[in-house]
Amino acid sequence: MTTKEIPDSTEPILEEIEPETVKIESERKQFGSPTLKEIPSNLLPVEDSACQHCRVAVWLVRMDEEDNPELRCWCRLLNAFSYTAQEQKPIVLCDGIYFKPR
């Protein structure tokens, strides 16, 4: 049985991975929700989120109890709301953005 040497630095590894990571990030950002493109800017999330570029996210606007429009996002993978106007804690990283809907 032989033991492989562990490299002293991860820099060469990161240099090899970086171009592919940039390519994936660029492809991910190409998709934008049609609903988010149509709603007034005051309803948009303050921070950019993974859900805004996700093909399996379902963005919707519904009326709240006082008949004010409320933005929500339903994640078809988590089977839960991933964003609501009341709880503005966006998901910043998620593997779901790499899924293609059926």
Side-chain angles (χ1 to χ4, degrees):
M1 187 157 117
T2 61
T3 305
K4 293 184 179 182
E5 288 185 33
I6 298 172
D8 293 335
S9 172
T10 58
E11 282 186 39
I13 294 170
L14 292 176
E15 288 174 9
E16 291 174 19
I17 294 173
E18 191 172 304
E20 183 64 22
T21 302
V22 170
K23 179 183 174 197
I24 289 170
E25 184 66 15
S26 174
E27 289 172 1
R28 180 182 78 86
K29 291 282 187 176
Q30 286 180 3
F31 177 79
S33 163
T35 298
L36 294 179
K37 291 177 184 175
E38 295 294 323
I39 64 172
S41 60
N42 64 321
L43 291 179
L44 291 172
V46 177
E47 295 179 55
D48 193 30
S49 70
C51 302
Q52 289 173 265
H53 308 283
C54 183
R55 295 179 185 277
V56 295
V58 178
W59 287 90
L60 55 114
V61 177
R62 70 173 208 148
M63 303 308 277
D64 67 11
E65 295 80 25
E66 299 165 3
D67 285 334
N68 297 313
E70 174 189 30
L71 179 65
R72 289 181 169 215
C73 181
W74 180 261
C75 176
R76 293 186 287 171
L77 293 175
L78 298 174
N79 200 29
F81 282 105
S82 59
Y83 176 89
T84 65
Q86 289 84 21
E87 190 176 318
Q88 294 189 15
K89 295 180 182 175
I91 295 173
V92 294
L93 291 173
C94 177
D95 287 346
I97 60 174
Y98 303 107
F99 284 69
K100 297 205 184 213
R102 298 183 209 179

